[in-house]
Amino acid sequence: MLKSILFLFWTTMLGGVVLGLLTWGVGRTVFSDFVSMDVAVSGASEIGMIILATLTMCLISVVGYVGYLMTNYYMIGILRSRKGAWSGLQLFFIALAIANLFFLRYKEFAEGHESLGMYLGIPVLIIAAGLIISQIKVSLTNSHARIPTLFFIIVVTSLEMLPAFSISDLSSLLYVAIVLLGCNAWQILIFHKLTNKTGAGAKAPANTSAKNPSKRPSAKKA
């Protein structure tokens, strides 16, 4: 299990940095002021600051996923006698997070002449990512994974992005959303494979020992 967590940690950090640099590079070629740093920072120093900021976001993503795993484990244990209660709570928090996504930045930055539609981009991106990733997760595992995956992608990503919602620069907010969604998607989609691999490795000695008796008759014949 520890090896799985370590593998998840360094792959998330590495993949997040690569995704962040690609997003920043593509965005900078399209928009010259995409995720602009301080005027005094340029060249290698700017790339270094981008990498440092991206590593911070990746670390937040890993901590968020570990927190989600612990919460999910304890809530399933607490509500074991009430089937569906935890799923219902997750659906409630998903609806609450979606409502907050739509109104949080609008309430913070909108002026009198601006409509809510101007602030729908990031919420729609997170919701669409949640629907797509949950469908992929279901295809990889089973239908019971849909609600937990939606909860993690929408609710936990929204919580991880709370400090970024105070940023008025849309390009920076988009950058944060892409990096966090990429890291969170990788973790939720790969973790069941890591745990299954660990379980298969633990069963290997038993399978080997089960085959040993078949060799004894040949030894007697010899």
Side-chain angles (χ1 to χ4, degrees):
M1 188 65 177
L2 181 59
K3 289 182 179 180
S4 300
I5 294 295
L6 291 176
F7 176 82
L8 197 68
F9 174 79
W10 74 260
T11 52
T12 303
M13 300 292 283
L14 180 61
V17 170
V18 172
L19 175 62
L21 289 175
L22 286 174
T23 303
W24 180 74
V26 173
R28 183 56 66 90
T29 57
V30 178
F31 305 102
S32 59
D33 59 344
F34 185 81
V35 193
S36 297
M37 294 296 174
D38 192 88
V39 179
V41 179
S42 60
S45 299
E46 187 175 20
I47 295 175
M49 290 186 68
I50 288 290
I51 293 175
L52 183 61
T54 307
L55 283 172
T56 303
M57 287 183 279
C58 295
L59 184 60
I60 291 172
S61 174
V62 173
V63 172
Y65 188 62
V66 173
Y68 159 77
L69 289 176
M70 294 177 64
T71 302
N72 192 55
Y73 176 79
Y74 283 113
M75 290 304 294
I76 289 175
I78 293 171
L79 301 174
R80 183 177 300 174
S81 60
R82 299 181 179 181
K83 294 183 178 180
W86 176 225
S87 296
L89 280 175
Q90 289 181 94
L91 288 173
F92 169 75
F93 286 121
I94 289 170
L96 190 64
I98 290 174
N100 283 328
L101 280 173
F102 278 110
F103 291 104
L104 201 59
R105 291 192 72 251
Y106 178 76
K107 182 179 179 181
E108 185 74 21
F109 298 108
E111 299 177 359
H113 63 281
E114 293 180 325
S115 65
L116 180 61
M118 298 177 63
Y119 293 86
L120 295 181
I122 299 300
V124 168
L125 173 64
I126 294 175
I127 295 169
L131 293 172
I132 294 170
I133 295 166
S134 63
Q135 184 59 41
I136 296 172
K137 182 71 174 181
V138 167
S139 66
L140 292 174
T141 55
N142 54 65
S143 59
H144 298 292
R146 188 181 303 278
I147 293 177
T149 304
L150 279 171
F151 177 83
F152 176 67
I153 295 297
I154 295 177
V155 177
V156 177
T157 302
S158 301
L159 291 174
E160 292 169 348
M161 286 188 65
L162 277 179
F165 282 123
S166 61
I167 302 173
S168 59
D169 182 23
L170 183 59
S171 65
S172 298
L173 187 62
L174 179 62
Y175 178 81
V176 173
I178 291 174
V179 172
L180 286 176
L181 285 172
C183 292
N184 288 342
W186 165 252
Q187 292 178 104
I188 197 74
L189 292 177
I190 198 67
F191 189 71
H192 72 277
K193 295 183 179 180
L194 299 177
T195 53
N196 287 344
K197 187 182 295 185
T198 304
K203 294 178 182 178
N207 294 336
T208 308
S209 61
K211 294 179 181 178
N212 287 338
S214 62
K215 295 181 180 179
R216 291 174 184 173
S218 60
K220 290 179 179 179
K221 290 179 181 179

